[in-house]
Amino acid sequence: MSVFQPSSGGRKPTPRTVGRNYQSIFVMLFVSAFLVGGMGSRLAYLQLMQGSRNRQLAENNRIRLIPKQPVRGNIFDRKGRVLASSRLSYAVYLWPIALKKGDWPQTRQRLSKTLNIPEADIQKRVERAGFNSPSLIRIERDISPAQITALAEYSNQLEGVEVDIEAVRNYPNGDLAAHVLGYTGELNDEELAKRKSEGYRMGDIVGQMGVEQAFEDKLRGEWGGQQVEVDGAGQVLRVLGQKKAKSGKDVQLTLDLKVQKAAEAALGNRKGAIVALDPNNGAVLAMVSRPTFDPNIFSTRITAATWKQLQGKGNPFVNRSMRGFPPASTFKVVTATAGMESGKYAPSTILPTYAALQVGNTAFGEWNKAGFGPIGFVRALAMSSNTFFGQIGRGAGGPTLIEWSRKYGFGQKTGIELSEEAQGLVADAAWKQKVYKWDWTVGDTVNMSIGQGFTQATPLQVAVMFATPANGGYRVKPHLLKDNEESKSWRKSLNIKPTTIKVIRQGLREVISAGTGKALDVPYMPPIAGKSGTAEAPPGKPHAWFGAYAPADKPEIVVVAFAEHSGGGGSKVAAPMTLQVLEAYFNKKPPQPSKDKQARPN
């Protein structure tokens, strides 16, 4: 007996029913073959055609690159005191490849709120790196403890977000020497595109101004990093490779912190500048400009509100010690040199002075409105006679005066390392014709001879000018990088006759002992030589100048003080500032009245 009965109920097969029992089997086999073939071809495509890409994606999910930014080199003053260094802080990083697209909007919103960064900025940063980037990218620097805590509280909602320690720039003296030191900041897109060939990468911090920019190559160091293997939770399983970051080199400047502090205090809140340098080799001992800024604010992201507030302080990023202004009567040193070196005026020349010197239709007035009678170079410098030096300039001639202006370094950059330096202006006939379509006149020469007219000089250039008679006739090249080179490497002889130098030095000394600079004739200080200047600067108030060097017989330091639109004369406004810096350099203070003198009588 058969166990299984045929499904036809015992009917015999017919031509119409033959093979029907195997039809379903054929269909199943066909479908299976189609599916297997499709899957096989897809696997073949993924393996053969897309294999490299998929292996890279898998590798990127497993391998993480952790960059280590180098610690920037320190900046020291001439005696090894710290002017700029680095401190540890916390930064926020994103790991793009670990960001889940579905969670990304929520992550971005949370970061924006916690870090006070626009979502668009965060999005742009990730897009620049690429969502498949295996490297961490920094989105914020120097975050606060409160922000660290907030990020920790929401860590379960912030996959791919990490907080790590990094070094940021620190200026322990705040805004002191800000225009010299400059500041650091992260490269923007445009800067990065220009400097990629130099090895810079997204997120790099670079010098943006001053010494930080000038010595970027020394200070920057070299990136390091780790290549690590991580698990699905992002935990490090093992270090695959490591390159230590190489710290930047330290830089020692010629600045003297003590003198710099004294210059900062002397200028106070006045708009202007003070420069102090060694007249023998051009080493800059102090350089101050006001208004100023605190470079520490650039250690973190600058908001639009902060930037607007900074700009509202009157161009605080302009280094006025390297911007041009009319040099006024300080320029008479150049005029005296041109007169004697031209051969037209002997060192013993005596000329009458007047209430005003008439040149064509223009009267060049004497500042005392009366004149000083017949005087020579020494007395003319001491009393700053406009009519005396007007005659000298007119007699020597415009070309000679212009030639000596340029020999002293006016109208050109001094060569100091800072890129912000302006060249000033020494006008000539060609310049005037090009700019004004007018010919050069005798009046232009006379105006120039007293430091007015078209001439523009920077406080740094004026300091270089004063260094020339101080050191015996050499033009020095001011510099900020301290080294052990001999002074002759930093100066060039102007081939001025010794008799000319002698007369100018006598005149500058008499300015202090019996002329317009008596405020610096104090018994507790070594002998000082110098010159005042008050520049007409319409439509504002006059500028005040005073330049001095000391000791007068063997100078060690030149100081130039400049007060922009001060409203007072050089002797009244700028001379006391110069004295204050000299006091700090020589470690001298005015004697204090005795207690007996201070006590009131009964």
Side-chain angles (χ1 to χ4, degrees), residues 288-354:
V288 185
S289 177
R290 289 284 190 275
T292 188
F293 62 94
D294 185 350
N296 285 300
I297 63 175
F298 294 96
S299 294
T300 185
R301 184 174 53 87
I302 298 294
T303 64
T306 302
W307 184 253
K308 184 177 180 181
Q309 183 181 10
L310 282 170
Q311 294 297 332
K313 293 182 178 180
N315 298 319
F317 298 101
V318 173
N319 189 345
R320 284 171 167 78
S321 62
M322 299 192 300
R323 284 293 179 271
F325 304 93
S329 291
T330 63
F331 189 83
K332 290 170 182 174
V333 171
V334 177
T335 306
T337 305
M340 286 183 275
E341 291 297 302
S342 70
K344 294 181 179 180
Y345 297 97
S348 59
T349 295
I350 302 294
L351 294 176
T353 57
Y354 313 95

Side-chain angles (χ1 to χ4, degrees), residues 130-280:
F131 278 92
N132 290 328
S133 174
S135 299
L136 293 172
I137 60 170
R138 182 178 56 238
I139 61 169
E140 183 60 302
R141 307 164 59 205
D142 200 24
I143 63 174
S144 67
Q147 289 172 320
I148 296 172
T149 301
L151 291 173
E153 289 177 354
Y154 292 100
S155 58
N156 60 334
Q157 301 175 23
L158 298 173
E159 189 171 355
V161 178
E162 294 187 10
V163 177
D164 203 355
I165 295 175
E166 71 169 10
V168 299
R169 207 55 165 161
N170 181 51
Y171 303 89
N173 300 298
D175 63 6
L176 184 136
H179 291 88
V180 177
L181 299 176
Y183 62 92
T184 61
E186 188 173 332
L187 284 171
N188 58 36
D189 292 350
E190 184 179 347
E191 292 169 333
L192 180 60
K194 292 179 180 178
R195 307 188 74 167
K196 265 191 174 181
S197 60
E198 302 173 42
Y200 287 93
R201 63 185 75 186
M202 190 173 78
D204 261 344
I205 306 299
V206 299
Q208 300 281 4
M209 177 184 170
V211 166
E212 293 281 19
Q213 181 187 60
F215 302 121
E216 168 69 15
D217 290 344
K218 290 178 178 289
L219 294 166
R220 64 179 287 199
E222 295 180 11
W223 278 81
Q226 288 182 329
Q227 187 180 48
V228 298
E229 183 179 1
V230 297
D231 59 19
Q235 299 299 313
V236 176
L237 298 177
R238 61 192 176 109
V239 177
L240 301 176
Q242 180 169 317
K243 177 187 176 183
K244 289 186 177 180
K246 186 178 180 181
S247 298
K249 296 179 181 178
D250 295 337
V251 169
Q252 188 169 19
L253 302 182
T254 59
L255 290 185
D256 186 310
L257 184 60
K258 181 180 178 181
V259 179
Q260 181 73 28
K261 286 181 175 179
E264 302 262 358
L267 188 57
N269 293 323
R270 295 184 185 91
K271 184 181 286 188
I274 293 179
V275 175
L277 54 79
D278 183 335
N280 300 299

